[in-house]
């Protein structure tokens, strides 16, 4: 329900519940304290803006939309962020969730993104790009990729200096994850992390491609509609789809045990 701010004025697009309203979402984010809820008053379109979220916040889109052009929403620095009740679209990655990327995971920094059941996310790249130790995403909403990138993707970099593994991806009841590119991939797992499929539906040319880490499937519906290939070539920067629900690829360019 819409809750008017104490000082809402014409042109304000977002408010902190119980506090003030602001003419830009960036201003509302900067003014918010950890634990606050930011609610949209109007639809938002921004170009060239990255929203950097490093505190615990809840976003109630209030049935409104956010359209990003050449911009993304980043969650990092021990923040837990929840988005509900609306839609977000970008021509780039919509969400980037970053944990500790140091080589030995020696610089603890977590990040958690919760995507609510009434949120729709659409991207021409990744809806969620997740990397780094203790980076977590919990998906209950609808995610659609319309480009040549996986809808949910990790990063397999693992060197002495940089390790982008240690992630946790949870696909929950109500989630609807799809990729409408021919032979596209819905969830790409090149990193040494954990992915739990607990419910929802996943539809793509290739539903899940895993090269490293652990995949647990407890429930849900996986529908692969791509072109079947029994013996794809190894690919060191993505995955050559097989038209299958789950593709497990052994590739010497990636680290970690596939379970």
């Amino acid at each position: 329900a819409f809750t008017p701010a104490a000082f809402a004025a014409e042109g304000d697009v977002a408010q902190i519940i119980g506090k003030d309203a602001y003419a830009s979402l960036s201003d509302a984010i900067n003014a918010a304290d950890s634990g606050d809820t930011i609610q949209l008053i109007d639809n938002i379109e921004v170009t060239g803006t990255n929203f950097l979220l490093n505190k615990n916040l809840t976003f109630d889109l209030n049935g409104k939309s956010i359209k990003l052009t050449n911009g993304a929403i980043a969650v990092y620095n021990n923040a837990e962020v929840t988005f509900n009740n609306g839609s977000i679209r970008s021509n780039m990655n919509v969400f980037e969730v970053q944990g500790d990327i140091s080589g030995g995971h020696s610089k603890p920094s977590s990040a958690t993104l919760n995507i609510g059941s009434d949120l729709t996310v659409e991207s021409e790249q990744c809806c969620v790009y997740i990397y780094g130790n203790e980076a977590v995403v919990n998906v209950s909403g609808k995610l659609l990729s319309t480009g040549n990138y996986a809808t949910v993707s990790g990063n397999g970099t693992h060197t002495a200096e940089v390790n982008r593994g240690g992630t946790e991806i949870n696909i929950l009841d109500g989630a609807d994850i799809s990729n409408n590119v021919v032979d596209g991939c819905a969830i790409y797992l090149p990193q040494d992390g954990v992915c739990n499929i607990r419910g929802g539906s996943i539809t793509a040319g290739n539903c899940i491609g895993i090269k490293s880490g652990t995949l647990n499937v407890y429930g849900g519906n996986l529908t692969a509609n791509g072109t079947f290939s029994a013996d794809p070539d190894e690919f060191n920067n993505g995955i050559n789809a097989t038209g299958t629900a789950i593709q497990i690829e052994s590739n010497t360019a990636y680290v970690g045990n596939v379970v």
Side-chain angles (χ1 to χ4, degrees):
F2 179 77
T3 304
F7 302 104
E10 185 176 354
D12 287 338
V13 299
Q15 63 178 349
I16 303 171
I17 294 298
K19 299 181 180 179
D20 293 335
Y22 297 87
S24 75
L25 182 57
S26 292
D27 287 344
I29 291 169
N30 291 337
D33 296 317
S34 186
D36 278 345
T37 294
I38 295 175
Q39 185 181 64
L40 295 195
I41 299 171
D42 202 353
N43 298 325
I44 293 174
E45 294 190 20
V46 292
T47 299
T49 297
N50 292 313
F51 295 106
L52 306 179
L53 308 179
N54 60 358
K55 48 193 167 185
N56 299 342
L57 295 171
T58 296
F59 289 82
D60 172 12
L61 301 194
N62 193 32
K64 309 299 184 183
S65 64
I66 299 174
K67 182 179 179 181
L68 306 173
T69 301
N70 299 330
I73 300 169
V75 183
Y76 68 110
N77 195 30
N78 302 309
E80 179 171 357
V81 177
T82 299
F83 280 82
N84 295 312
N85 189 21
S87 64
I88 307 174
R89 187 182 188 281
S90 178
N91 65 326
M92 301 178 66
N93 297 334
V94 174
F95 292 110
E96 299 192 1
V97 186
Q98 178 181 323
D100 176 8
I101 62 171
S102 62
H105 289 157
S106 58
K107 301 176 181 179
S109 178
S110 65
T112 299
L113 170 66
N114 303 309
I115 296 176
S117 60
D118 51 4
L119 187 78
T120 298
V121 181
E122 183 176 334
S123 174
E124 295 177 27
Q125 295 189 8
C126 302
C127 290
V128 178
Y129 177 47
I130 181 170
Y131 55 97
N133 194 46
E134 295 192 26
V136 179
V137 61
N138 301 305
V139 181
S140 298
K142 181 176 181 179
L143 310 181
L144 169 64
S145 174
T146 62
N148 294 318
Y149 294 84
T151 311
V152 178
S153 180
N155 183 298
T157 302
H158 188 155
T159 67
E161 294 78 25
V162 178
N163 182 355
R164 297 181 184 269
T167 60
E168 180 181 333
I169 298 169
N170 297 302
I171 309 302
L172 307 173
D173 286 340
D176 181 355
I177 301 174
S178 59
N179 185 307
N180 69 2
V181 176
V182 175
D183 295 327
C185 187
I187 300 178
Y188 175 52
L189 305 170
Q191 75 277 27
D192 187 7
V194 177
C195 179
N196 299 307
I197 311 298
R198 300 188 179 277
S201 65
I202 302 172
T203 305
N206 220 72
C207 294
I208 302 172
I210 180 171
K211 293 183 176 182
S212 185
T214 301
L215 172 65
N216 299 308
V217 180
Y218 301 102
N221 297 300
L222 280 64
T223 303
N225 53 26
T227 304
F228 178 70
S229 174
D231 189 21
D233 294 331
E234 286 190 358
F235 183 37
N236 291 342
N237 190 27
I239 200 159
N240 285 323
T242 58
T244 55
I246 299 174
Q247 177 178 342
I248 302 173
E249 179 181 313
S250 176
N251 190 316
T252 54
Y254 294 82
V255 68
N257 296 315
V258 175
V259 179

